[in-house]
């Protein structure tokens, strides 16, 4: 019989049942062929004029802005979800609340090379990518209009028009619903226990080890107890911190190596590294210093989500996190 | 520029931007061919022995149980998400909560005919389907183990092994997260206003009419102000009631005709009726009599959800609800 497991932060029950008939599909990610590139890649070196002017870059000291020679380059997204200019114009519309979609939507071009994945990028290059996230987080909070920041990396997203390795940095005047839920859960947990919920989870999982995938000097990777998706993992810093931007250089180097290995493991186990990686970090204006713990969530694109998921947020996961962790550990 | 709109119940901001590049995909549903049927259909008349023994049925008075002659038949699901027998065995596991996946998972076989959709079923037949939902809701609440009930209909689900028209009735010992969120939002709204949030929304939308799709004697169909998905609609009873099972016979007949027309409209506008229909109704043990309002949510399967959706519950909808409502109205 399957189990109902409750996520201690979000208080969300998940059905975990390895006897589900869709289990086989969940153990393989279908490799989707990337769509053919129509014309030159706007993210490749030499094509800098095809993107909006760059916001930041790491590269050769002698390099000039918007010219080749960069290692990592940050520009506004070519099709931004929200615009950096303009006023919110917060207003009521009847009983509703509405404002203009003002926000930052930047992309981090992760390498000059067009075809490398995180599993293939040199560790030093991934370190630069993480450094760019930190840089942008520190800079975007200076814009008093923005309350929150998320970073999203779609790995192997056949739907994207851009095949060149890149990730999204978004800053919003609101807190995305998924993060807000987590913050509320952590706050309620702290009010009761005067401890960070994620610290408690880590403490337990590092001792029990059944859902621990890997541990480094500064991070631990867990398959969460109430995983919504097959092979869902969380990467948590061992040092309690609510704000990703407080990551130090040693932690950055450590995390770069760890993320590369994680993508290699997923590739080995699932035959494909297609996943979404999301940075969860505290909002700028509510630091949640004691009760929140920044982390990365890795959500592999395995089986499609059943109608129950969208309709009522009822998740059914046919792969137990214990099995997922064991399979990932074996793939090291 | 796009807009940020907040759902007044869930306090969730959604980006609505008709200039998104994925808009075209959102205006068409790809018709997925149903997988070939391997062997006889277990839901067709004559094959009653292929399902677990029936729980309830509407049919010819002379009919015998588990024999043909039924119009609508309810049986346990062939691959239930949870099992009706056994104990919960609620237990801690370290800092976590776990219990056995005990619950009811039934299917309502919606017609003896193998190939009809809701758009094609006679109204009288749809009325019987709704009657079966009411019947099951009234019966399942007698089992003190269950706290909540949802009904989910996957329309045109190529992933399903069953092509025969059917829907799912599920009863759980917990409240699904999406419903719980809504209940909490409604309760907060009521605490402030002493009015039902959905009644307020209906009042506004019935006057303004821009997001109103249709109205009958007993129901109104709206494209919600902060729609997460293109062509998302809500079907709300005009009479305030938190519990679907209080629907009377006149309302049932009215709703059957309305749902048939809704499916016809979606088919005309999107070229396909693929959607998930979910019944949201109050939990058995917390009737939320004043603050909650039962309704049906229709979520068409248009564009795939971007990574932002899963990663942080950040929804981006390229079709405004005003446009969706106008297109649906024209399709009548």
């Amino acid at each position: 019989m399957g189990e109902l497991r409750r996520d201690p932060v979000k208080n969300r029950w998940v059905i975990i049942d390895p006897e589900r008939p869709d289990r086989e599909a969940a153990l393989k990610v279908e490799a989707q062929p990337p769509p053919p590139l129509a014309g030159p890649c706007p993210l490749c070196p030499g094509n800098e004029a095809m993107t909006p002017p760059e916001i930041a870059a790491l590269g050769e000291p002698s390099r000039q802005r918007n010219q080749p020679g960069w290692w990592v380059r940050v520009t506004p997204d070519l099709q931004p979800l929200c615009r950096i200019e303009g006023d919110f114009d917060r207003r009521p519309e009847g009983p509703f609340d509405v404002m203009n979609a003002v926000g930052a939507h930047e992309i981090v071009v992760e390498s000059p090379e067009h075809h490398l994945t995180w599993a293939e990028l040199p560790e030093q290059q991934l370190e630069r990518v993480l450094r760019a996230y930190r840089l942008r987080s520190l800079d975007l909070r200076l814009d008093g209009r923005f309350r929150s920041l998320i970073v999203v990396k779609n790995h192997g997203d056949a739907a994207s028009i851009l095949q060149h390795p890149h990730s999204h940095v978004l800053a919003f005047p609101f807190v995305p619903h998924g993060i807000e839920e987590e913050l509320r859960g952590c706050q309620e947990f702290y009010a009761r226990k005067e401890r960070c919920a994620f610290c408690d989870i880590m403490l337990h999982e590092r001792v029990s080890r059944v859902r621990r995938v890997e541990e480094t000097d500064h991070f631990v990777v867990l398959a969460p107890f109430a995983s919504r998706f097959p092979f869902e993992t969380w990467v948590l810093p061992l040092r309690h911190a609510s704000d990703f931007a407080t990551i130090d250089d040693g932690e950055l180097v450590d995390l770069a190596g760890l993320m590369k290995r994680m993508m290699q493991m997923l590739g080995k186990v699932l035959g494909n590294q297609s996943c979404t990686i999301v940075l969860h970090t505290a909002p700028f204006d509510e630091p949640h210093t004691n009760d929140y713990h920044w982390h990365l969530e890795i959500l592999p694109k395995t089986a499609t989500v059943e109608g129950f998921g969208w309709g009522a947020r009822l998740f059914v996961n046919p792969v137990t996190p214990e099995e997922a962790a064991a399979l990932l550990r074996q793939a090291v």
Side-chain angles (χ1 to χ4, degrees), chain A:
Chain A
M1 195 192 300
E3 280 183 347
L4 287 165
R5 295 188 179 189
R6 179 150 64 177
D7 182 288
V9 174
K10 299 204 178 177
N11 290 324
R12 172 182 56 204
W13 290 96
V14 171
I15 298 176
I16 300 208
D17 184 356
E19 288 163 34
R20 291 301 303 155
D22 52 358
R23 185 179 143 82
E24 284 314 304
L27 289 168
K28 272 271 167 294
V29 177
E30 269 176 59
Q32 297 171 301
L37 192 68
C41 170
L43 305 188
C44 272
N47 300 340
E48 285 79 5
M50 291 178 71
T51 66
E54 77 190 33
I55 294 163
L58 303 172
E60 312 282 352
S62 63
R63 171 186 176 260
Q64 294 200 309
R65 271 173 65 88
N66 297 310
Q67 295 294 323
W70 47 269
W71 303 318
V72 166
R73 184 166 182 258
V74 184
T75 77
D77 191 272
L78 281 82
Q79 299 171 325
L81 285 182
C82 35
R83 309 203 170 261
I84 194 81
E85 325 84 30
D87 285 328
F88 295 133
D89 190 16
R90 286 177 185 268
R91 55 199 184 271
E93 189 171 317
F96 306 113
D97 305 313
V98 61
M99 59 177 153
N100 295 332
V102 172
H105 184 177
E106 307 177 350
I107 51 173
V108 176
V109 188
E110 298 166 348
S111 163
E113 294 192 63
H114 183 78
H115 276 301
L116 296 185
T117 66
W118 278 24
E120 295 154 349
L121 281 177
E123 273 185 40
Q124 193 194 16
Q125 191 62 28
L126 260 184
E127 184 197 320
R128 289 166 177 157
V129 171
L130 297 172
R131 204 177 289 276
Y133 297 162
R134 184 175 63 181
L135 202 69
R136 296 311 303 144
S137 171
L138 290 169
D139 188 46
L140 283 162
R141 70 184 62 193
L142 301 179
D143 188 325
R145 296 175 304 166
F146 302 143
R147 291 188 55 205
S148 72
L149 171 132
I150 61 168
V151 178
V152 179
K153 161 74 182 168
N154 278 314
H155 222 119
D157 182 5
S160 171
I161 53 156
L162 298 172
Q163 289 306 312
H164 197 113
H166 69 285
S167 31
H168 301 262
V169 173
L170 298 126
F172 294 115
F174 64 96
V175 180
H177 197 59
I179 309 290
E180 199 169 45
E181 252 184 356
E182 209 172 59
L183 290 165
R184 169 137 72 162
C186 278
Q187 213 161 23
E188 285 170 4
F189 189 97
Y190 192 86
R192 214 163 52 236
K193 310 257 192 185
E194 296 187 52
R195 293 196 306 269
C196 161
F198 286 105
C199 284
D200 266 28
I201 293 171
M202 280 199 292
L203 187 67
H204 177 77
E205 299 295 30
R206 291 174 71 196
V207 172
S208 106
R209 299 201 172 192
V210 286
R211 285 173 292 272
R212 196 188 68 164
V213 176
E214 214 195 308
E215 189 166 326
T216 64
D217 287 348
H218 301 291
F219 291 90
V220 62
V221 183
L222 307 174
F225 178 74
S227 297
R228 289 158 294 176
F229 306 107
F231 297 93
E232 175 178 352
T233 54
W234 295 350
V235 181
L236 293 143
L238 296 180
R239 173 172 71 80
H240 176 82
S242 67
D243 181 358
F244 164 75
T246 63
I247 191 172
D248 68 29
D249 286 348
E251 290 167 332
L252 213 76
V253 171
D254 191 30
L255 184 57
L258 177 60
M259 291 309 289
K260 182 181 166 88
R261 283 197 303 287
M262 279 305 299
M263 292 302 111
Q264 289 172 333
M265 283 185 225
L266 279 176
K268 271 195 202 161
V269 174
L270 297 172
N272 191 297
Q273 306 149 35
S274 289
C275 66
T276 299
I277 303 169
V278 186
L279 171 65
H280 289 219
T281 184
F284 300 145
D285 62 344
E286 296 164 25
H288 286 265
T289 314
N290 292 320
D291 60 64
Y292 192 65
H293 201 111
W294 78 264
H295 59 282
L296 292 162
E297 296 196 357
I298 307 176
L299 312 173
K301 291 178 187 159
T302 57
T304 50
V305 174
E306 293 185 71
F308 306 113
W310 283 122
R313 306 209 66 219
L314 176 68
F315 294 99
V316 182
N317 179 356
V319 180
T320 67
E322 295 76 26
E323 182 184 9
L327 287 168
L328 289 168
R329 280 195 302 265
Q330 284 163 23
V332 177

